[in-house]
Amino acid sequence: MKKYLLILSMMLSGIVHAQTAPNLIGTWEAVSAVSAAGGTEDKQARLALSNKKDAAIIKLVISTQDGGAFQGETAWRDGLKNMVVGVFHKDGKTLTLSSDVGVGTGYVVNDEMEFCSASVLTTKNRASCTQLKKVK
């Protein structure tokens, strides 16, 4: 019985400590970024390393949110756009994201976000982190 009470109290303490997800709806613009891109074993490509602000996503627009789940769109400097979905972890700050071309992680503190992602393509390898600020 004591074992069950201990497990129950541990489960409830996790629920009590879960944080409320902040409102992400709006436009987030890049403040800084770092990226690395190259080819694959089957499709060779030139290595590109960059620390420029527009090296990764330049804008993230979150259009829909329901509690800790959200949906939006990323924009890249070349005009490419990707749909993205994501969820908050129970700490209310850490994110896991997914799109057609990659997966990522991030965190949010007030009106600042870090969005790090890696491609899941067979045609190129890419990893990047962008620091964003909410502007609208």
Side-chain angles (χ1 to χ4, degrees), residues 29-45:
E29 292 185 351
V31 174
S32 64
V34 60
S35 75
T40 66
E41 190 169 320
D42 293 334
K43 185 172 171 125
Q44 299 294 311

Side-chain angles (χ1 to χ4, degrees), residues 12-20 90-91:
L12 291 175
S13 69
I15 293 169
V16 170
H17 289 96
Q19 299 294 313
T20 302
K90 73 177 186 176
D91 66 5

Side-chain angles (χ1 to χ4, degrees), residues 19-25 64-71 86-88 95:
Q19 299 294 313
T20 302
N23 180 5
L24 295 183
I25 293 177
T64 307
Q65 182 173 352
D66 183 4
F70 57 91
Q71 182 266 327
V87 294
F88 275 94
L95 308 170

